[in-house]
């Protein structure tokens, strides 16, 4: 895999073993100026991959480059340009929003106190209220404010919209779209809420049991795949290579196919519907 300065993030052959779980040859590329949705079931390896990107775990093999820099050899320079938002804020319970600025100002060389205060006002976050008293939505907004206030070029989000109401989720998604208006900014967004990704993602990477099954343009994925609706009798007309996953019920069969156009030409008597990202998660890898 050839590394490129036009990519925000490049993983090549990343392997990491944890007991009976293993990341196996994880490779994908996030182009600069785009949002990539990172999807997969619980325990599929999303959080382990994010930890690897952040150099929080030692790789068994493989390499990671962030903004053209080696994540290990140039780790300090990389961290200055990466913003991170986890599903829980790792903060001392009695801290207040105002306490974060001097702490993070000592960590990030490009910390912008004025920008941080601007985000607190924009998100209506009380500076003097203990963070433990914040709602989940307020905590997530505070995490975004902190992540954005040192002018990162890459944002890593781990289930950032989980548990938020639709209004707050839309606010966060709008902020991500605003962030990437600068083509030098990029986002890797791990989430179970595929409808959010259908709205904002440019690329989708699907990990299952530690392996990457899909990684490409969202539009290409949704255009190429299809759901064949057929009876059990019709199922025998399909070749094994046409079946990426299937679900049978009393009403018939649903088949995930990887070439919707070809299936429509070959099986004109069957209904072939478009897919959603949720369909891909449910069906992919079950064949």
């Amino acid at each position: 895999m050839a590394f490129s300065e036009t990519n925000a993030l490049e993983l090549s052959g990343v392997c990491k073993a944890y007991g009976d779980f293993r990341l196996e040859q994880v490779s994908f590329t996030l182009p600069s100026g785009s949002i990539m949705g990172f999807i997969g079931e619980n325990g599929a390896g999303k959080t382990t991959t994010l930890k690897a990107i952040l150099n929080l775990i030692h790789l068994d093999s493989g390499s990671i480059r962030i903004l053209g820099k080696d994540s290990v050899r140039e780790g300090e320079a990389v961290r200055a340009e990466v913003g991170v938002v986890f599903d829980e804020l790792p903060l001392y319970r009695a801290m207040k929003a105002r306490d974060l600025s001097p702490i993070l100002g000592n960590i990030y060389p490009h910390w912008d106190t004025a920008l941080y205060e601007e985000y607190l006002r924009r998100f209506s976050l009380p500076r003097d209220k203990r963070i433990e008293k914040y709602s989940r939505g307020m905590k997530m907004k505070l995490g975004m404010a902190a992540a954005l206030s040192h002018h990162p070029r890459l944002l890593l989000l781990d289930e950032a919209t989980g548990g938020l109401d639709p209004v707050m989720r839309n606010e966060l998604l709008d902020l991500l779209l605003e962030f990437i208006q600068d083509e030098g900014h990029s986002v890797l967004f791990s989430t179970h809420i595929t409808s959010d990704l259908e709205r904002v993602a440019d690329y989708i990477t699907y990990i299952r049991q530690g392996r990457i099954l899909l990684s490409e343009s969202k539009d290409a994925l949704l255009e190429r795949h299809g759901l064949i609706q057929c009876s059990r009798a019709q199922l025998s007309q399909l070749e094994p290579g046409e079946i990426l996953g299937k679900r049978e019920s009393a009403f018939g069969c649903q088949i995930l196919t990887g070439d919707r156009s070809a299936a429509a030409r070959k099986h004109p008597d069957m209904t072939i519907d478009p897919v959603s990202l949720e369909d891909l998660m449910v069906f992919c890898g079950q064949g």
Side-chain angles (χ1 to χ4, degrees):
M1 176 179 178
F3 293 114
S4 168
E5 293 184 1
T6 63
N7 294 323
L9 180 63
E10 302 174 17
L11 282 75
S12 179
V14 170
C15 297
K16 178 64 181 179
Y18 278 117
D20 58 356
F21 175 78
R22 180 177 177 85
L23 286 182
E24 188 66 45
Q25 295 295 322
V26 169
S27 300
F28 62 85
T29 297
L30 169 60
S32 295
S34 60
I35 298 176
M36 175 176 282
F38 193 35
I39 62 175
E41 300 86 348
N42 288 332
K46 298 191 302 298
T47 298
T48 301
T49 302
L50 288 174
K51 287 181 178 178
I53 293 169
L54 292 168
N55 200 24
L56 297 177
I57 58 175
H58 177 72
L59 301 183
D60 295 336
S61 60
S63 59
I64 299 173
R65 292 186 72 85
I66 300 172
L67 303 168
K69 301 179 178 67
D70 184 277
S71 65
V72 176
R73 292 196 301 271
E74 302 173 271
E76 186 174 345
V78 163
R79 283 190 292 274
E81 298 191 276
V82 176
V84 184
V85 183
F86 291 110
D87 60 343
E88 293 290 340
L89 279 178
L91 299 174
Y92 179 56
R93 294 177 59 189
M95 288 185 69
K96 300 174 182 178
R98 68 181 184 189
D99 299 327
L100 285 184
S101 192
I103 294 172
L104 296 177
N106 287 325
I107 296 174
Y108 295 108
H110 305 300
W111 179 258
D112 188 333
T113 299
L115 181 59
Y116 177 67
E117 294 291 340
E118 181 181 328
Y119 278 122
L120 294 185
R121 290 190 294 271
R122 175 176 174 176
F123 296 154
S124 301
L125 295 173
R127 299 176 70 257
D128 299 317
K129 184 176 183 177
R130 288 168 61 144
I131 293 171
E132 66 177 333
K133 302 295 185 182
Y134 276 20
S135 67
R136 174 170 174 76
M138 292 169 68
K139 289 178 181 177
M140 195 54 59
K141 287 181 178 181
L142 180 61
M144 285 296 297
L148 291 169
S149 293
H150 66 94
H151 299 282
R153 293 170 58 196
L154 172 65
L155 270 181
L156 302 180
L157 308 182
D158 188 13
E159 300 294 343
T161 56
L164 301 184
D165 63 53
V167 173
M168 286 191 175
R169 279 182 25 227
N170 279 330
E171 287 182 20
L172 189 145
L173 297 177
D174 286 342
L175 188 61
L176 297 184
L177 292 172
E178 179 184 314
F179 178 72
I180 63 161
Q181 290 308 301
D182 180 331
E183 294 185 359
H185 292 168
S186 312
V187 178
L188 180 65
F189 186 7
S190 166
T191 182
H192 287 96
I193 306 176
T194 54
S195 59
D196 288 349
L197 299 180
E198 288 182 350
R199 177 183 165 193
V200 303
D202 302 294
Y203 298 89
I204 297 295
T205 294
Y206 177 33
I207 188 170
R208 184 171 186 266
Q209 297 178 355
R211 293 176 178 267
I212 301 298
L213 294 189
L214 300 167
S215 187
E216 61 181 283
S217 158
K218 178 195 68 181
D219 291 343
L221 277 174
L222 296 181
E223 176 66 25
R224 190 173 74 252
H225 290 80
L227 274 184
I228 301 174
Q229 313 287 344
C230 66
S231 66
R232 286 190 174 85
Q234 291 174 312
L235 182 59
S236 62
Q237 300 176 28
L238 301 176
E239 298 177 4
E242 296 180 273
I243 302 173
L244 298 183
K246 66 181 177 179
R247 183 163 55 188
E248 299 183 52
S249 70
F251 304 101
C253 303
Q254 288 184 307
I255 308 298
L256 177 69
T257 184
D259 191 334
R260 182 171 55 179
S261 297
R265 292 191 300 270
K266 190 172 182 180
H267 308 289
D269 56 332
M270 300 182 192
T271 299
I272 305 175
D273 295 326
V275 298
S276 65
L277 292 179
E278 184 173 345
D279 291 329
L280 288 176
M281 281 193 65
V282 169
F283 285 92
C284 201
Q286 294 182 2

